[in-house]
Amino acid sequence: GQNIDQPTEMTATEGAIVQINCTYQTSGFNGLFWYQQHAGEAPTFLSYNVLDGLEEKGRFSSFLSRSKGYSYLLLKELQMKDSASYLCAVRDSNYQLIWGAGTKLIIKP
Amino acid sequence: IAGITQAPTSQILAAGRRMTLRCTQDMRHNAMYWYRQDLGLGLRLIHYSNTAGTTGKGEVPDGYSVSRANTDDFPLTLASAVPSQTSVYFCASSDSMGGTDTQYFGPGTRLTVL
């Protein structure tokens, strides 16, 4: 079966750095996505990785290791508005997205 | 530009009733999707459409049907609603189903089936 694993919940302090991990087992791989979802709202796109390595975009970075079936999302200089759920999704061999259950990130002052 | 709109925002429905959730996008995207999101579970694909006139089944298609008569609209119909279909439904679109094309989501419809 196909499986995406990520921690259910994480807590971090405003101004700090947090790393959210995602491991996957899917039938084929055609890219990995990270989305942010605030409570009661729609998911919004953060990053896309298809090759191994780090992609940096402002305060957010995403890393991929295809051989390990592993990715992480790194958030720097945390702000209160970063409190949200972070969703990891893998595009499989049918070009459909398989989604993890999401990691709820709680930012404390 | 509105992006993707969904209607209704929320709905309470009696079991056995028929219901159509509406989705419209103005980005001229070729691909459209319907997902359901339940607490503790990832988004699950119900149906998708690669382009106008074609549709396909996702992970959880039973009890749902879709049509894609034109590029902009992708309605989702529950022929006879059951309580297990209580969920938040998201419509999404992308330029295609491959490459770097990301999916853009509508605001969602919260459906309760009693």
Side-chain angles (χ1 to χ4, degrees):
Chain A
Q2 307 201 90
N3 197 47
I4 310 286
D5 286 318
Q6 42 181 141
T8 302
E9 186 175 297
M10 300 181 69
T11 301
T13 304
E14 189 177 15
I17 299 172
V18 70
Q19 177 175 312
I20 302 173
N21 296 324
C22 170
T23 58
Y24 62 89
Q25 289 180 302
T26 56
S27 58
F29 178 86
N30 286 294
L32 184 144
F33 296 79
W34 284 96
Y35 278 73
Q36 181 189 61
Q37 185 178 25
H38 285 100
E41 298 183 7
T44 55
F45 169 75
L46 286 178
S47 69
Y48 170 75
N49 295 71
V50 67
L51 300 176
D52 290 351
L54 189 68
E55 293 282 342
E56 297 186 81
K57 190 185 294 185
R59 293 190 298 115
F60 293 7
S61 303
S62 56
F63 172 82
L64 174 67
S65 169
R66 288 172 296 171
S67 63
K68 295 182 179 178
Y70 167 71
S71 173
Y72 67 73
L73 180 70
L74 192 72
L75 291 75
K76 303 175 184 176
E77 302 170 15
L78 286 170
Q79 302 175 10
M80 297 304 293
K81 67 178 182 179
D82 297 329
S83 292
S85 288
Y86 292 86
L87 315 180
C88 174
V90 172
R91 181 181 280 147
D92 69 7
S93 56
N94 293 319
Y95 286 89
Q96 294 181 10
L97 288 186
I98 308 302
W99 296 80
T103 298
K104 182 178 181 180
L105 178 63
I106 299 169
I107 309 297
K108 295 185 174 180
Chain B
I1 295 177
I4 301 181
T5 57
Q6 292 184 235
T9 302
S10 65
Q11 182 75 44
I12 298 173
L13 189 66
R17 297 298 295 269
R18 180 184 179 89
M19 175 75 190
T20 294
L21 307 185
R22 299 185 298 278
C23 174
T24 300
Q25 55 104 358
D26 63 5
M27 296 177 284
R28 308 302 293 172
H29 283 168
N30 290 307
M32 296 187 74
Y33 317 83
W34 274 105
Y35 292 95
R36 60 178 290 173
Q37 187 174 41
D38 301 292
L39 200 62
L41 298 177
L43 288 160
R44 291 183 291 169
L45 183 65
I46 304 170
H47 285 286
Y48 65 92
S49 169
N50 286 327
T51 188
T54 68
T55 63
K57 294 182 179 180
E59 179 186 356
V60 289
D62 293 344
Y64 306 95
S65 64
V66 291
S67 61
R68 186 88 184 277
N70 56 60
T71 298
D72 299 344
D73 301 301
F74 192 43
L76 176 74
T77 297
L78 289 68
S80 179
V82 295
S84 62
Q85 292 177 311
T86 294
S87 188
V88 179
Y89 290 86
F90 286 103
C91 179
S93 72
S94 64
D95 194 38
S96 74
M97 286 186 73
T100 61
D101 288 327
T102 60
Q103 294 184 15
Y104 297 88
F105 285 79
T109 293
R110 186 174 296 274
L111 182 66
T112 302
V113 182
L114 302 175

